[in-house]
Amino acid sequence: MKPGDVVGGFELEQELSPSLFVAKQGAERVLVRLSHIGSDTAWIRMAVDEARIAMSFAHRHLRRVIEVGYADEHAIVVYEHVEGSRLLGMDMPRASAIAMTMQLCEGLHYLHVARDHSGRPLECVHGDISPGCIILDRAGKATLLDYATRLRASRPATAAEVRERFRYLSPEQAGGRPLDARSDQYSIASLLWDLTVGEPRLQSELTDYQMIEAIRGEAEAPSRRRPDFPRALEMVLMRALAVEPDARNRSIAVFAAALAGCTN
């Protein structure tokens, strides 16, 4: 898909990534995430039903899902668009990166504790945190996309985008182990490491095997790259980046509270 194409009644206007577009339907502009899922009826039903669960979520740091559907072998998730919105870039002052991460932790905590209409925990895990799913508005407010798991697995991406998403996997993801909310804590801490150090923790020249081995091993301390890195922030990051989930904070809200002490 490319700007100028029409899918499911949406005219694609601006490409933010190979699967994310600013689109127009009538007079309304929206964000559209397209995921190629083919024509398997069971898969379509499962994926779209899961996306509809996301429509019930309402939090200021989750970009609101306003419609889901299927057309031309693509699942379509339609998000609210705010003029001036942009994907997260990696050039950000340290204080802004910490503040943005705390905002995202609010949205993730909301997901982690979400319950269905009967009060049963949904046990949501985002599982795909990377710059490509974070939107900033003009005021700097951050919101998350992509909290419909099965759709994420099939969304198109360039090789560079796949590598970007890959480097923020948790050790348990890299090892094919079950995930819980502590996986998201690791991933958001890994992203904050990159933003506050000013370069990727996992360099792009690593092979896939080397990157997996690095993810499954102990994380490098930021002060090894930046000797003047704040000690308090390093301690908070390193706990969230513990290889074993039990060694991390018990929740992403606790991680955010620890970050709040590093803002001065």
Side-chain angles (χ1 to χ4, degrees):
M1 295 294 179
K2 62 185 183 300
D5 289 345
V6 177
V7 56
F10 295 94
E11 180 184 353
L12 307 182
E13 290 193 329
Q14 178 188 357
E15 180 179 310
L16 301 180
S17 79
S19 64
L20 184 66
F21 296 84
V22 177
K24 192 172 183 180
Q25 186 180 51
E28 182 182 14
R29 280 189 171 83
V30 292
L31 287 178
V32 172
R33 176 74 86 187
L34 301 175
S35 300
H36 187 270
I37 60 175
S39 55
D40 185 307
T41 305
W43 177 257
I44 294 166
R45 188 184 308 113
M46 181 173 59
V48 174
D49 284 351
E50 188 178 55
R52 287 202 173 102
I53 294 173
M55 292 180 68
S56 69
F57 296 148
H59 190 276
R60 61 182 177 164
H61 295 300
L62 301 179
R63 187 56 60 101
R64 185 169 67 93
V65 178
I66 55 179
E67 186 178 337
V68 296
Y70 172 83
D72 301 325
E73 298 193 340
H74 285 77
I76 305 169
V77 182
V78 184
Y79 296 94
E80 180 182 30
H81 178 56
V82 177
E83 289 301 325
S85 294
R86 66 192 190 281
L87 281 174
L88 172 68
M90 298 304 288
D91 184 14
M92 179 179 287
R94 183 178 291 159
S96 299
I98 294 172
M100 180 206 70
T101 302
M102 291 169 61
Q103 293 177 8
L104 297 176
C105 285
E106 280 188 45
L108 288 166
H109 180 68
Y110 174 92
L111 282 180
H112 295 162
V113 301
R115 295 175 178 267
D116 66 15
H117 64 278
S118 65
R120 179 179 59 88
L122 289 171
E123 299 181 341
C124 294
V125 178
H126 188 287
D128 193 25
I129 294 166
S130 70
C133 71
I134 297 167
I135 300 284
L136 302 177
D137 66 15
R138 283 199 182 103
K141 186 179 83 170
T143 50
L144 275 167
L145 308 178
D146 300 337
Y147 32 97
T149 345
R150 296 181 183 95
L151 296 182
R152 285 198 308 273
S154 57
R155 65 183 169 94
T158 63
E161 285 185 312
V162 170
R163 294 280 286 175
E164 176 188 90
R165 289 155 57 185
F166 196 58
R167 65 162 42 100
Y168 299 111
L169 296 180
S170 65
E172 53 271 32
Q173 281 177 293
R177 292 184 281 158
L179 306 186
D180 61 25
R182 295 169 297 181
S183 178
D184 284 344
Q185 181 183 154
Y186 182 99
S187 296
I188 198 73
S190 185
L191 176 59
L192 182 58
W193 195 106
D194 288 5
L195 289 168
T196 52
V197 172
E199 61 185 53
R201 180 169 64 93
L202 303 175
Q203 301 292 342
S204 58
E205 61 265 20
L206 294 176
T207 66
D208 288 352
Y209 174 79
Q210 289 171 329
M211 195 171 284
I212 285 288
E213 288 301 296
I215 291 168
R216 295 171 67 178
E218 185 176 342
E220 180 183 1
S223 58
R224 292 193 61 184
R225 306 264 189 103
R226 298 284 181 265
D228 61 345
F229 197 87
R231 177 62 178 161
L233 178 58
E234 179 169 276
M235 291 175 65
V236 171
L237 283 176
M238 295 306 289
R239 179 168 185 180
L241 290 170
V243 173
E244 292 302 324
D246 286 346
R248 299 172 203 156
N249 300 285
R250 68 179 182 272
S251 74
I252 206 160
V254 174
F255 171 58
L259 284 176
C262 302
T263 55
N264 296 326

